[in-house]
Amino acid sequence: SARMSMSEIAAIKHQIHRCWTIPAGALNAENLVIIIKLFLNTDGSLSKSPEIVGSYYRTGDLFYDSAAESARRAVLKCAPLKHLPVDKYARWREITLTFNPREMLGG
């Protein structure tokens, strides 16, 4: 199947990141990097709940857990994703995204 272009990947990230609110009061929020996996249907809706698959912090850290949950809620809030190239469905049916506050804060 065809590869996703950088602009297509950026558009997907933008759709989700615009729904994400960094938890207030998080210590070192710029370092709370969350990695989340999305499972999508051809219409951009979720085929199952998004999974937190990694970060630079371990679960059990109050701030990390809060940030991870806020990233998961952002995916749920923004679904279904729009403007996904159907001919590249095999490439985006499972997407792993990085939620990085540093990107959002201009760092």
Side-chain angles (χ1 to χ4, degrees):
S1 65
R3 290 193 109 103
M4 296 285 290
S5 71
M6 292 301 284
S7 62
E8 289 168 333
I9 294 167
I12 291 169
K13 288 177 93 172
H14 178 73
Q15 287 182 63
I16 301 294
H17 286 183
R18 69 181 170 78
C19 294
W20 188 37
T21 302
I22 301 166
L27 296 174
N28 299 314
E30 69 277 4
N31 296 322
L32 285 174
V33 177
I34 310 299
I35 302 169
I36 192 165
K37 188 170 186 176
L38 284 62
F39 305 90
L40 301 165
N41 295 310
T42 55
D43 65 356
S45 64
L46 296 170
S47 62
K48 69 180 197 176
S49 185
E51 295 177 3
I52 307 300
V53 294
S55 80
Y56 293 86
Y57 282 108
R58 288 192 191 139
T59 189
D61 176 297
L62 180 63
F63 294 118
Y64 165 74
D65 288 345
S66 178
E69 183 56 29
S70 72
R72 196 182 72 73
R73 281 193 310 269
V75 172
L76 297 171
K77 180 180 177 182
C78 283
L81 298 179
K82 309 264 189 264
H83 313 294
L84 298 171
V86 177
D87 60 324
K88 297 180 182 180
Y89 177 65
R91 293 283 182 190
W92 55 260
R93 67 185 169 96
E94 291 184 6
I95 301 172
T96 301
L97 295 178
T98 300
F99 284 71
N100 185 343
R102 186 171 290 165
E103 292 174 1
M104 294 178 65
L105 298 171

